[in-house]
Amino acid sequence: MALPKRKHSKARRDKSRTHWKLTMASLTKCLQCARPILSHRVCPHCGYYRGRAVVVVAERPKKKPGAS
Ligand SMILES: [Zn+2]
């Protein structure tokens, strides 16, 4: 396997890492409940995808007020 002849300096390594960035997830609006959802995913709030019910979303127990 080919190997680099010399070790890259820390500055060179760190300069290349300045291009490592997070990208914002592309959000869209659910056709059923109008909440923001990830595109090409089933809505986690209502279980609809492209206007059709595809999964049954179980009702999550509500958090007690005051409990942290
Ligand atoms: Zn929805």
Side-chain angles (χ1 to χ4, degrees):
M1 202 174 95
L3 283 174
K5 192 166 188 176
R6 294 193 194 287
K7 175 181 176 171
H8 285 183
S9 70
K10 288 170 196 157
R12 186 172 165 171
R13 177 201 66 197
D14 293 346
K15 271 191 278 186
S16 90
R17 285 184 188 170
T18 64
H19 298 284
W20 294 9
K21 292 181 180 84
L22 291 175
T23 55
M24 181 67 192
S26 61
L27 292 177
T28 182
K29 206 169 73 174
C30 176
L31 290 171
Q32 184 68 20
C33 66
R35 278 186 267 202
I37 54 166
L38 290 173
S39 55
H40 308 109
R41 304 289 195 284
V42 172
C43 175
H45 310 291
C46 63
Y48 272 61
Y49 183 71
R50 297 186 65 184
R52 259 180 349 109
V54 284
V55 290
V56 178
V57 179
E59 191 70 34
R60 284 202 291 176
K62 294 267 185 337
K63 280 182 189 169
K64 284 180 197 165
S68 56

